Amino acid sequence: MSAPVVFLIIVLVVCATSWGAATAVPTNADDAAAMQSIANSTGAAKSLGWGVRSLDPCAGTWSGVRCGDTGRVTSINASRGGLTGMLDAADLSLLTSLVELDLSFNDFRLELPKPSQPLAGLRTLDFRSNNFVDIPDGFFSSFPALEMFAIDDIDLSDALVLKDDVATCSDLRSFSANNVNMNDVFPNIFGNASLFPELESLSLARNQLWGVIDLDFGKNGKINFQDVGAQHSISDSKLGGILRFITGMENLVELRVDHNSFGPLPDATHLVNLRSVNAAANDLCGIPKFPAGTDVDLDGNPNVGKEC
Ligand SMILES: *[C@@H]1O[C@H](CO)[C@@H](O)[C@H](O)[C@H]1NC(C)=O
Ligand SMILES: *[C@@H]1O[C@H](CO)[C@@H](O)[C@H](O)[C@H]1NC(C)=O
Ligand SMILES: *[C@@H]1O[C@H](CO)[C@@H](O)[C@H](O)[C@H]1NC(C)=O
């Protein structure tokens, strides 16, 4: 390339860069400090290159980090990012514009991070497959706008996952805590549509839940997917009760209650949205009555087809 052409390219690059910088709002200093600290403390500087090419988390060089046009960090997706350690609660507290935090499939330890004051705009928290052991008290109160929560496949030593404050998350649309060693009476609170009017998806499979599901569970609510299958209770108490609770769940599309102790089959023919039911290996009896075309698995219920 001739010298003038090279010069022209340099001028164009410099102009484009400074024009870009001039139009963008500078990154919030608290957000930048918090993200730099997180980059160091979780190993993201090494594994995701955070802070390596630019110390500015909104520079576009921080993999999985997105910012709004006000210079605030709005989304962190470090799923399968090779991260470890703890996400410092003080750092999280600074990220007051955060909407989405996905830390799934990493090696985070100890407690879930709980900010010192509520993060009013946070809607998505995904902590699946990590090595957390505890959900701190008041955790859910810190996320009053929470819509999606996922914490599957974590061996929580604090098995009473659901502190009462989960009811402060009245915008919840999806709550997923499969296989977290939850050893507790079934949390019927989720079936209260005045507390969770937006709840569409509830997954609590493969825990140690016991007790009965209330007959009016999910009544007048929006739940369309519910998986409470395969509770492996360590005592003799099992999850069961009358399967009739589903008859109030008009929006139900897919139900999984397999490998529990549910009793008589309900008449579910009016549940017109129903597509799939897995109720294998329970204590069911009676004549199956489901809408035509529903995929129903009732294997391992010797008394199905017989009178109860
Ligand atoms: C992150 O680590 C680098 C290198 O060790 C250090 O210079 C920097 O001050 C640290 N930043 C924060 C916010 O801890
Ligand atoms: C984070 O990124 C992964 C991989 O690209 C994606 O599957 C996941 O849906 C993202 N998380 C969120 C909350 O968007
Ligand atoms: C549902 O929650 C509301 C509000 O807390 C409460 O008044 C009501 O008694 C609850 N309903 C059931 C069936 O527990």
Side-chain angles (χ1 to χ4, degrees):
M1 254 184 272
S2 68
V5 171
V6 169
F7 178 73
L8 185 65
I9 289 172
I10 290 172
V11 167
L12 284 174
V13 167
V14 167
C15 284
T17 312
S18 52
W19 180 78
T23 52
V25 176
T27 302
N28 176 279
D30 281 344
D31 283 18
M35 290 304 293
Q36 285 160 21
S37 169
I38 291 170
N40 281 4
S41 64
T42 65
K46 280 205 179 74
S47 64
L48 292 171
W50 288 4
V52 171
R53 284 161 65 198
S54 166
L55 284 177
D56 179 357
C58 299
T61 57
W62 289 49
S63 157
V65 177
R66 288 207 310 265
C67 297
D69 50 18
T70 54
R72 304 298 310 267
V73 174
T74 54
S75 173
I76 300 173
N77 188 345
S79 182
R80 299 182 198 274
L83 310 189
T84 187
M86 275 186 86
L87 182 68
D88 195 292
D91 295 333
L92 184 57
S93 304
L94 292 174
L95 300 171
T96 54
S97 293
L98 200 60
V99 175
E100 192 171 75
L101 178 61
D102 186 342
L103 302 179
S104 58
F105 303 97
N106 284 296
D107 180 27
F108 282 100
R109 306 196 175 171
L110 304 174
E111 287 193 342
L112 295 191
K114 176 172 125 52
S116 53
Q117 62 209 16
L119 293 182
L122 198 132
R123 295 201 290 264
T124 298
L125 283 176
D126 193 337
F127 296 127
R128 282 174 296 155
S129 288
N130 275 284
N131 290 305
F132 292 111
V133 295
D134 190 26
I135 301 184
D137 286 339
F139 176 81
F140 290 103
S141 311
S142 301
F143 305 103
L146 193 62
E147 292 178 8
M148 317 281 265
F149 180 73
I151 196 186
D152 312 50
D153 302 315
I154 294 181
D155 189 2
L156 294 170
S157 61
D158 175 17
L160 299 175
V161 173
L162 298 171
K163 311 279 168 28
D164 292 343
D165 71 334
V166 71
T168 58
C169 302
S170 57
D171 294 333
L172 264 183
R173 287 196 286 124
S174 171
F175 188 99
S176 190
N178 295 317
N179 188 30
V180 294
N181 196 20
M182 194 192 302
N183 181 358
D184 202 355
V185 64
F186 183 80
N188 277 296
I189 188 173
F190 283 117
N192 187 333
S194 0
L195 295 175
F196 299 105
E198 305 302 328
L199 191 63
E200 292 175 1
S201 178
L202 178 64
S203 299
L204 300 168
R206 288 171 282 125
N207 284 296
Q208 294 154 35
L209 295 171
W210 44 276
V212 298
I213 300 189
D214 288 344
L215 269 185
D216 56 0
F217 187 89
K219 199 173 175 192
N220 304 320
K222 291 187 183 167
I223 296 178
N224 60 49
F225 176 87
Q226 178 162 334
D227 186 356
V228 297
Q231 304 300 326
H232 44 92
S233 175
I234 40 182
S235 65
D236 278 344
S237 39
K238 289 184 157 188
L239 181 64
I242 306 178
L243 195 58
R244 201 167 75 224
F245 77 88
I246 68 169
T247 59
M249 300 176 71
E250 304 276 345
N251 292 304
L252 204 55
V253 175
E254 181 168 355
L255 176 74
R256 298 173 152 268
V257 293
D258 57 288
H259 297 88
N260 289 306
S261 306
F262 286 98
L265 278 168
D267 182 345
T269 40
H270 64 289
L271 298 180
V272 294
N273 298 304
L274 203 55
R275 290 291 169 273
S276 173
V277 174
N278 184 351
N282 276 282
D283 300 328
L284 295 172
C285 55
I287 310 296
K289 291 177 182 163
F290 293 97
T294 307
D295 177 15
V296 182
D297 184 348
L298 301 175
D299 286 355
N301 289 280
N303 293 319
V304 163
K306 299 178 191 158
E307 236 176 87
C308 294

